Amino acid sequence: MRVRQLAVAAGLLGLLCVPAHAEDRDIGRDTLPANDGWASEGDGTTGGAAADAEHVFTVTDRAGLVRALDGGSDTPKIIKIAGTVDANTDDDGDRLDCSDYATGGYALKKYLAAYDPRTWGSAKPGGPQEEARQASAARQAERIVLPVGSHTTIVGLGDSAVLKGASLQVKNADNVIIRNLEVRDAYDCFPVWQPNTGGLGDWKAAYDTIWLTGATHVWIDHVTASDRGHPDAKEPTHFARNYLRHDGLLDITNGSDLVTVSWSRFADHDKAMLIGNGDTATGDRGRLRVTLHHNAFESVVQRAPRVRFGQVHVYNNRYEITDDYRYSLGVSTESRIFAENNAFHAPGHVEVADLVKSWNGSALHQSGTLFNGYPVDLLAIYNAYNSGSERDLTADVGWTPTLHGPVDSAAAADRAVARGAGAGRIP
């Protein structure tokens, strides 16, 4: 607690005297402003602002980043990423590909032959090839899973800092800031076949680009997250299902709480953001409080976000929908989404009612929605179009957000987000 209080004081003093532009100040010492979403609750979110000089690092490769992260320790630290850091590299900095991780005789051709549903059936994969896949996956995980501990700030330097191929995992940690960084292509070399998923079976990838699990007080700001380099849309199909290589861009699960995601860009991906990972995870009640504001969701198929249990404030976001699309706002078990002044841009075949999908959901507050420049009553249209197929949603979500800055009109936010969201755009 004392670390947080000292950091708050230091951060507030710093904010009073720094110049206006990111390049003229040390953004590693920035702290979340007061009332900026759920992560400002209580003592707020200060990350590594209280770090001493010995725990401020500038890293240019995976080995340096791993040393700075210190195994996810709770020591206050500021980590500045310069240039491109590739997680799929060895200790000498040489590039690794999927063949370098494969072990135990694993080969995709053999895996497909072993678990073809026409011969294997619907049982869970088991035996030599699945064991080899698991061993191979463990070797990749040793390289690309990077644990982030409490009281940590990770920032990109300049306008071109990239973390490539990694899965940043904030696990059971408190007080974390990730800013001004492009994170991309958390590529799974060894997806698993799940015969009973979705009725027809499906491929499951292991890695979220950023995963908050049991994390509290987290601020993610001016981040760009995508599958850039290996889009799943270009992967082949196996067993008549797309061979998925990526999981979420940002997943917030397992009792995570008090999170603000601002001015970030989520692009070119299927399942962008999951808040709450299970309908039976009743321990999430009272948690999963998340604010999403001034973010851009571009060419995202679904989960922008999908919510279970949480009180989630979704305001002043911009959605750019393309042809491959399922929904944006996922209303799931006991979710309480308060959506206001968001702008959606969609091609002609996408209807207003398509923006929402419900699984056991009961309520959605929405106001100020723009659809292709026109104001719409998203809730009324959803209920009218889905009457009989999904139960109507009420407008009463049982809470009203208080921790937020000015809520702009959807039109004003639309323009501001198009100009200012994403890495390299901190004003």
Side-chain angles (χ1 to χ4, degrees), residues 73-390:
S73 77
D74 292 345
T75 303
K77 62 184 75 68
I78 297 171
I79 302 171
K80 303 176 182 181
I81 294 179
T84 297
V85 171
D86 189 344
N88 286 292
T89 51
D90 65 17
D91 291 341
D92 295 324
D94 294 327
R95 170 74 183 169
L96 300 172
D97 61 25
C98 293
S99 64
D100 294 307
Y101 298 123
T103 189
Y106 174 86
L108 178 59
K109 185 176 181 180
K110 293 179 181 178
Y111 190 88
L112 295 174
Y115 306 115
D116 188 325
R118 293 171 295 185
T119 54
W120 178 261
S122 61
K124 182 179 178 180
Q129 272 300 301
E130 173 57 16
E131 293 168 2
R133 187 204 64 79
Q134 292 179 19
S136 302
R139 294 183 67 183
Q140 185 185 19
E142 288 177 359
R143 293 277 106 188
I144 73 169
V145 172
L146 302 177
V148 181
S150 298
H151 313 301
T152 298
T153 291
I154 301 174
V155 297
L157 291 180
D159 59 5
S160 58
V162 177
L163 178 58
K164 177 182 177 184
S167 177
L168 282 176
Q169 298 191 1
V170 186
K171 184 175 183 180
N172 300 326
D174 176 66
N175 194 31
V176 172
I177 295 173
I178 303 172
R179 301 184 74 206
N180 197 47
L181 182 65
E182 180 181 352
V183 289
R184 68 178 189 231
D185 194 23
Y187 186 85
D188 188 348
C189 288
F190 309 102
V192 60
W193 173 244
Q194 296 182 326
N196 294 312
T197 299
L200 298 175
D202 210 350
W203 294 96
K204 171 65 175 174
Y207 309 113
D208 301 318
T209 310
I210 301 175
W211 182 30
L212 311 185
T213 174
T216 53
H217 283 105
V218 180
W219 181 29
I220 295 173
D221 178 68
H222 282 92
V223 164
T224 296
S226 75
D227 296 343
R228 183 178 172 185
H230 290 102
D232 280 335
K234 293 188 177 180
E235 293 291 336
T237 58
H238 296 304
F239 307 152
R241 305 295 287 170
N242 185 222
Y243 190 52
L244 295 174
R245 299 290 194 146
H246 304 89
D247 197 6
L249 291 178
L250 169 60
D251 280 7
I252 303 169
T253 64
N254 297 313
S256 291
D257 198 20
L258 304 176
V259 178
T260 297
V261 183
S262 57
W263 294 100
S264 292
R265 179 172 175 262
F266 302 92
D268 305 318
H269 187 80
D270 183 1
K271 300 170 182 176
M273 187 182 302
L274 180 66
I275 301 176
N277 56 310
D279 291 342
T280 60
T282 55
D284 286 343
R285 288 175 180 147
R287 303 182 70 82
L288 297 173
R289 292 173 290 180
V290 179
T291 300
L292 308 177
H293 74 83
H294 294 92
N295 301 293
F297 294 91
E298 301 172 359
S299 300
V300 166
V301 177
Q302 57 186 314
R303 297 186 182 178
R306 179 178 177 180
V307 181
R308 297 179 175 94
F309 296 103
Q311 295 181 15
V312 180
H313 191 194
V314 182
Y315 76 92
N316 282 170
N317 299 287
R318 182 179 195 271
Y319 294 79
E320 188 171 332
I321 296 164
T322 51
D323 288 341
D324 187 13
Y325 178 71
R326 292 187 60 190
Y327 68 92
S328 294
L329 302 178
V331 183
S332 297
T333 302
E334 296 185 33
S335 64
R336 291 172 284 173
I337 300 172
F338 197 104
E340 54 183 334
N341 296 23
N342 299 292
F344 295 83
H345 301 267
H349 69 276
V350 175
E351 303 285 351
V352 174
D354 296 329
L355 306 181
V356 176
K357 177 69 176 175
S358 175
W359 297 264
N360 301 319
S362 61
L364 169 67
H365 172 94
Q366 76 80 42
S367 60
T369 303
L370 283 185
F371 183 79
N372 288 338
Y374 292 91
V376 296
D377 187 333
L378 178 56
L379 182 61
I381 294 172
Y382 170 82
N383 284 337
Y385 271 68
N386 291 281
S387 180
S389 60
E390 298 176 7

Side-chain angles (χ1 to χ4, degrees), residues 19-39:
H21 297 286
E23 63 268 25
D24 297 327
R25 72 172 192 260
D26 182 0
I27 63 172
R29 297 285 180 183
D30 284 358
T31 62
L32 177 67
N35 296 315
D36 192 346
W38 275 116

Side-chain angles (χ1 to χ4, degrees), residues 5-17 29-34 46:
Q5 291 169 339
L6 290 171
V8 168
L12 291 176
L13 289 173
L15 289 174
L16 292 175
C17 61
R29 297 285 180 183
D30 284 358
T31 62
L32 177 67
T46 61

